[in-house]
Amino acid sequence: MKILAALDRSDHAWDVLEKALEMAKFREAQLLVLTVAEEVADFGESGMSMALTEAIEREVSNFLAEVNKRTAGSGLKVKTMKESSHSAAEAILRVAEAEKVELIVMGHQGKSALDRFFIGSVASKVVSHAPCSVFVVR
């Protein structure tokens, strides 16, 4: 069995990781840990988009290094992954399908009702379109 933990690099991500580790241990599953690096629109020759992209890449690398530290003693096979995308939900769904995961564990990103009306939440999109079960940690 494969479980995908989709982490957003927030403080709540560590709660999601702990729940995913607990579930993977119980099911004796392989744990895939995914974080999505937001793609930045190109602002032309100003160099702002390149600098922002580099900053995001550093943040993602540091985050995944911390994930590796926190999972090192778990006794589980843990694979960390990074995807770059304009849509975190689409990246999560793409990885879930490609890796043939049986469960996605993710957090619920708190958004206002107005935000959800206009753009929807990542969790809502994943729950609606996932090829497998989704466990949302609140």
Side-chain angles (χ1 to χ4, degrees), residues 25 46 49 62 121:
K25 285 178 186 176
S46 68
S49 62
N62 292 339
S121 74

Side-chain angles (χ1 to χ4, degrees), residues 74-124:
S74 68
L76 294 170
K77 183 176 179 184
V78 179
K79 176 182 174 184
T80 56
M81 307 169 73
K82 177 202 70 122
E83 286 286 314
S84 296
S85 180
H86 291 292
S87 168
E90 287 177 19
I92 294 164
L93 294 168
R94 194 170 44 247
V95 168
E97 194 167 310
E99 293 287 339
K100 297 179 177 28
V101 301
E102 295 177 51
L103 178 66
I104 299 169
V105 180
M106 63 186 303
H108 177 266
Q109 183 71 357
K111 292 188 176 198
S112 71
L114 187 60
D115 285 340
R116 282 193 302 275
F117 176 77
F118 285 115
I119 60 173
S121 74
V122 172
S124 294

